[in-house]
Amino acid sequence: MTDLTKLTIAKARDAMRKGDTTSAEITQACLAAIDGAGALGAFVHHTPEIATEQAAAADARIKTGDAPDMCGIPLGIKDLFCTKGVPSQAASGILEGFKPEYESTVTSQLFDAGAVMLGKLNMDEFAMGSSNETSVYGNAVNPWRRGNDDAALTPGGSSGGSASAVAADLCLAATGTDTGGSIRQPAAFVGITGLKPTYGRVSRWGIVAFASSLDQAGPMTKDVRDSAIMLQAMCGHDPKDSTSADLAVPDFESALSGDIKGKTIGIPKEYRMDGMPEEIEKLWSDGTAMLKDAGAVIKDISLPHTQYALPAYYVIAPAEASSNLARYDGVRFGHRAKLAQGDGITEMYEKTRAEGFGPEVQRRVMIGTYVLSAGFYDAYYNRARRVRTLIKQDFETVFADGVDAILTPATPSAAFGLGEMTDADPIQMYLNDVFTVTVNLAGLPGISVPAGLDKQGLPLGLQLIGRPWEEADLLNVAYTLEGAAGFVAKPTKWW
């Protein structure tokens, strides 16, 4: 077979079982593609020996006729996931040299299913960012270009390396994490599918924490069917994670019937933001029409507390980050600063964190520490928690009124240029999450589906938000939207 790296998970699975190709062949094709794609900055730790060994084991397993769907599938793993014996730095200098002696639950489940690890993927430092420009490894780069313009574009963040690698066919799929949109926004920027499951559906154990009540891992894939297949392998109750839900995992792929007749799709008026680009508005209208043509009932809805979502998120997330990142002190693992004679423990903490954390992480830790401090805890953090409850109640009310899924834009724009936001107010960067943070605050499942191109030829995505724990239904609506949109565009190779 030719173009092995362009295979979807589903097509690779079927081809391997028919004997048309092997995991070893697909894996070697991916490793060759990675070696030739250094300009994208997507892979930051290469594991060809592990990949080769896992592929051989997968081929032997497939020959027995009793192999899971993910068996033999070459993946990229976001650097936030701890992988035994392999650097796991969360793209931060403070974790330089850290090689865990354990495997995250998600990667363990994927490897138990026979998946192959090609290497670790670039990301924003500690998952804090929307453009993959805060990484200690340097920028990840979007494989897409604006028309004939050679300017490098962001692949989004924080899962920018995952997005870039999947869009450029360096791997068949990748793991991502989503705290405020970090799977869905980059997926939209590069024209792939990104799924954030319900909070608690996928174990967080062994994933470096950013904001523990918001973080959720999910798949980043070439299409909706692949997301269903990969999610199946990632899900399941984990007693090591106290927030992991003890619920049966449905067969997500079998739910992809393409039949959404009678389903009610909500269109929230609050997502029509001032200054929204006409292209985003048209994409949203076109997507609404596609679902209506497929037999869905379209219903205008109100989510009145949406306007408070970003401020609430940017209080809660930094607060939890400041608590989680307090463990990086130069004592137990990772980087430790060199001390001058006479320096004590306080100087060691100060110097280690100043050297190890980048500017965006430092900014968020300081904000978080401030809002948790005496005198400000009630004024900021507790108020943000109350707003979060109101946002969650908005969704509960809408779903109780019979809405099955909600359609919104995924991002307020197409991918922007690397460096274009360097001198901007940080809030301008945070606005990239305007359509996605509500989903994390409410703990809901959300998926970004590529649905069109802007006038410069860049991908645009639509977001679907589902009922809690009903990823199967959400995936089916997304599958229908994907089929109607017919997005098949790929970036022109320049790297």
Side-chain angles (χ1 to χ4, degrees):
M1 295 180 72
T2 57
D3 291 333
L4 293 175
T5 63
K6 291 181 167 57
L7 291 171
T8 62
I9 291 174
K11 287 180 179 176
R13 170 193 64 187
D14 297 345
M16 286 188 285
R17 279 148 189 75
K18 288 177 187 172
D20 294 340
T21 189
T22 64
S23 177
E25 290 171 341
I26 301 172
T27 298
Q28 289 306 313
C30 288
L31 290 172
I34 292 165
D35 286 342
L40 293 176
F43 277 86
V44 292
H45 296 295
H46 299 253
T47 58
E49 297 86 1
I50 292 173
T52 301
E53 184 178 313
Q54 289 177 330
D59 284 331
R61 191 170 175 183
I62 290 168
K63 284 180 182 176
T64 68
D66 184 28
D69 290 336
M70 287 297 293
C71 190
I73 304 297
L75 303 176
I77 304 297
K78 186 177 180 178
D79 196 38
L80 208 63
F81 293 77
C82 288
T83 43
K84 186 175 181 179
V86 177
S88 304
Q89 283 185 237
S92 179
I94 207 158
L95 279 174
E96 184 177 2
F98 176 56
K99 294 182 180 180
E101 290 301 314
Y102 54 89
E103 198 72 54
S104 77
T105 296
V106 167
T107 51
S108 179
Q109 289 182 184
L110 287 168
F111 299 155
D112 286 348
V116 174
M117 180 173 70
L118 298 165
K120 303 296 286 292
L121 292 163
N122 206 347
M123 55 176 284
D124 280 297
E125 184 182 6
F126 281 105
M128 299 180 195
S130 301
S131 63
N132 215 129
E133 292 177 279
T134 69
S135 169
V136 73
Y137 309 117
N139 301 337
V141 181
N142 196 322
W144 291 79
R145 289 285 190 257
R146 296 185 188 119
N148 297 319
D149 189 345
D150 289 335
L153 304 178
T154 176
S158 65
S159 305
S162 300
S164 179
V166 175
D169 294 320
L170 307 185
C171 53
L172 272 57
T175 61
T177 62
D178 193 309
T179 305
S182 290
I183 286 174
R184 291 160 289 148
Q185 183 248 23
F189 275 6
V190 302
I192 64 170
T193 301
L195 173 64
K196 176 226 171 275
T198 309
Y199 181 79
R201 175 65 91 178
V202 176
S203 172
R204 293 182 300 108
W205 194 85
I207 301 172
V208 178
F210 165 14
S212 300
S213 75
L214 300 163
D215 299 342
Q216 188 62 192
M220 302 182 72
T221 61
K222 297 179 183 181
D223 62 20
V224 173
R225 183 175 295 277
D226 283 6
S227 284
I229 295 168
M230 187 168 168
L231 179 64
Q232 185 92 34
M234 295 173 71
C235 284
H237 178 243
D238 179 12
K240 295 195 293 291
D241 176 3
S242 64
T243 62
S244 174
D246 191 1
L247 293 173
V249 179
D251 185 339
F252 296 117
E253 187 181 9
S254 69
L256 304 180
S257 66
D259 181 7
I260 61 167
K261 289 183 178 65
K263 294 285 185 184
T264 299
I265 307 299
I267 309 296
K269 64 180 183 180
E270 288 80 10
Y271 282 60
R272 286 193 163 84
M273 305 290 184
D274 291 339
M276 181 187 288
E278 287 183 16
E279 289 173 314
I280 302 291
E281 184 74 52
K282 183 178 184 303
L283 184 81
W284 193 9
S285 297
D286 290 348
T288 303
M290 290 173 199
L291 294 176
K292 186 176 182 180
D293 289 345
V297 177
I298 305 301
K299 181 179 181 179
D300 289 329
I301 61 171
S302 177
L303 299 168
H305 294 94
T306 295
Q307 62 181 310
Y308 307 115
L310 268 179
Y313 174 85
Y314 278 103
V315 170
I316 292 169
E320 295 186 11
S322 73
S323 177
N324 278 322
L325 270 59
R327 71 194 70 180
Y328 304 113
D329 52 15
V331 175
R332 287 159 286 192
F333 47 77
H335 174 73
R336 178 186 291 185
K338 291 183 179 178
L339 304 180
Q341 188 171 2
D343 281 349
I345 189 85
T346 301
E347 288 79 13
M348 187 191 74
Y349 287 162
E350 290 173 349
K351 290 181 179 180
T352 294
R353 289 173 176 166
E355 292 175 9
F357 290 144
E360 181 61 28
V361 172
Q362 291 179 17
R363 178 187 293 119
R364 297 202 195 189
V365 167
M366 287 190 289
I367 291 169
T369 304
Y370 176 79
V371 301
L372 290 176
S373 61
F376 299 102
Y377 188 90
D378 285 329
Y380 293 105
Y381 184 64
N382 269 343
R383 184 171 295 181
R385 289 172 62 206
R386 289 195 290 271
V387 170
R388 180 181 192 171
T389 299
L390 294 172
I391 290 168
K392 187 170 184 287
Q393 288 173 351
D394 285 348
F395 284 104
E396 289 170 350
T397 299
V398 165
F399 290 136
D401 286 343
V403 169
D404 295 293
I406 297 167
L407 180 70
T408 78
T411 59
S413 70
F416 51 88
L418 288 166
E420 284 182 9
M421 294 278 202
T422 301
D423 298 322
D425 185 315
I427 293 171
Q428 291 299 116
M429 184 71 84
Y430 299 164
L431 287 170
N432 275 284
D433 301 329
V434 68
F435 297 128
T436 52
V437 294
T438 53
V439 178
N440 299 80
L441 289 168
L444 299 172
I447 187 168
S448 175
V449 178
L453 299 172
D454 75 353
K455 61 177 178 288
Q456 296 178 306
L458 297 179
L460 297 171
L462 287 171
Q463 174 181 231
L464 284 160
I465 304 167
R467 294 168 175 263
W469 314 114
E470 295 188 12
E471 288 88 355
D473 285 346
L474 177 66
L475 283 159
N476 188 41
V477 178
Y479 181 66
T480 305
L481 179 62
E482 175 186 67
F487 185 92
V488 293
K490 296 287 290 183
T492 301
K493 186 172 180 180
W494 55 265
W495 58 92

